Amino acid sequence: MTNPEALRLAENFFTRKPEALPSVRAFLLGALERWSETEIVTQKSQVGLRDPRPYCALTAPGKRLRGRAVPGALLSLFLPRPLEAEELILAVEAYPGRFTNHLILPADPAAFPDGLWDWTAEARRFRCKRD
């Protein structure tokens, strides 16, 4: 079930980067459609998804990050492994066996990478122990 207030707060987080809003909205609504128990949590530095534990986060970096253009948002997926994907900017082993994979989320939702929902589902299973 979509929480309109949680979605509004998440969208307000991206007001300084309005070009990211279409992809952020599409990602959040897509996650809620797939996993109705997911909760959107907007914090000072990021918008996270949890069910009940956090499994991914969205941030609004500047126009460039690590020398690469970031037209949309930055998606961080919490996985047991580093991803091998063109969209990957950096994978950091935050804790033993837990990698934070930072990906560029394209500004246009139609350009989402083919594996996006599989990777997100994997992160949710890993962090939340849910299918």
Side-chain angles (χ1 to χ4, degrees):
M1 175 188 230
T2 303
N3 178 336
E5 180 63 11
L7 192 57
R8 184 189 67 75
L9 288 172
E11 289 176 344
N12 283 348
F13 179 87
F14 287 92
T15 55
R16 70 176 196 247
K17 191 162 186 182
E19 64 274 20
L21 270 173
S23 63
V24 166
R25 187 177 296 122
F27 182 80
L28 293 173
L29 291 174
L32 293 172
E33 180 181 305
R34 287 167 175 79
W35 307 292
S36 61
E37 299 299 313
T38 289
E39 181 182 3
I40 301 170
V41 180
T42 300
Q43 299 172 319
K44 188 175 183 176
S45 62
Q46 67 185 16
V47 173
L49 295 181
R50 66 181 184 196
D51 183 16
R53 299 175 74 189
Y55 60 92
C56 69
L58 294 160
T59 56
K63 294 188 182 300
R64 300 190 72 75
L65 186 65
R66 294 185 67 96
R68 292 180 64 179
V70 183
L74 189 69
L75 173 65
S76 300
L77 294 170
F78 312 134
L79 293 164
R81 64 186 177 90
L83 283 177
E84 293 183 23
E86 182 180 321
E87 299 78 14
L88 183 70
I89 292 178
L90 179 66
V92 177
E93 191 170 15
Y95 298 97
R98 185 176 120 191
F99 290 82
T100 302
N101 291 271
H102 301 286
L103 305 148
I104 296 170
L105 193 62
D108 180 3
F112 281 178
D114 292 337
L116 179 67
W117 293 115
D118 291 337
W119 302 330
T120 307
E122 181 184 352
R124 184 174 170 271
R125 278 191 307 275
F126 172 63
R127 293 287 295 144
C128 307
K129 310 299 185 229
R130 296 180 184 251
D131 287 325

